[in-house]
Amino acid sequence: MEPKRTSAVVTALLTALTAAALLTGCDSGTNTALPTPAATPSFPPPTTKSPARICSEITAHWVRERLAGRGTGDFMKEGLSNGTNDIVVAVMAAARKERERAGDAAAEKLITDRTTHDCTERYRNGTPTGNPWH
């Protein structure tokens, strides 16, 4: 065989072997499967609650907690603004009177109705009326 032709054959053979190795992943016969990728974590969807709804849930919660004697006594630690704290204080006073007059169920209904009404009024334009921290 001529030296040029031998060189071309060797080059072709090496190219073919390299391509075969790349295509087979240099498999040595052992099972070297790639690990399965970890599952993508699922996150809860972002909230679609309106600011008024969030306000009413938070204020109703703190009215109930304070009436039960479990409030912190510090509206800022409870995550309330001056304005939402004013709602809590007003609804608490009314709920105490309603509980004395008509019982726990009536006080609970008043808490739900008043916090919903007062927060809807506070957020009637989508943002707090007046100063957001008042």
Side-chain angles (χ1 to χ4, degrees):
M1 217 189 256
E2 298 173 23
K4 242 181 173 179
R5 187 172 173 151
T6 304
S7 176
V9 170
V10 170
T11 303
L13 183 59
L14 287 175
T15 303
L17 288 173
T18 304
L22 289 174
L23 290 174
T24 62
C26 297
D27 192 0
S28 64
T30 60
N31 188 359
T32 57
L34 295 175
T36 320
T40 304
S42 73
F43 297 100
T47 184
T48 57
K49 293 178 183 177
S50 70
R53 175 68 185 252
I54 294 168
C55 170
S56 66
E57 289 176 2
I58 291 170
T59 56
H61 169 80
W62 284 111
V63 169
R64 292 180 191 107
E65 289 296 299
R66 288 183 187 183
L67 286 174
R70 295 186 299 257
T72 67
D74 183 340
F75 71 93
M76 293 178 86
K77 285 183 182 177
E78 295 170 347
L80 302 170
S81 66
N82 288 337
T84 54
N85 187 58
D86 290 345
I87 292 170
V88 169
V89 170
V91 173
M92 261 182 49
R96 278 195 184 114
K97 288 180 185 177
E98 187 66 8
R99 184 169 50 190
E100 289 172 10
R101 185 187 75 72
D104 288 338
E108 179 58 35
K109 181 174 178 355
L110 180 136
I111 291 168
T112 301
D113 292 348
R114 281 281 305 272
T115 55
T116 299
H117 173 271
D118 292 359
C119 287
T120 299
E121 183 60 28
R122 179 170 170 75
Y123 287 91
R124 67 182 173 266
N125 298 323
T127 58
T129 53
N131 182 344
W133 289 104
H134 180 264

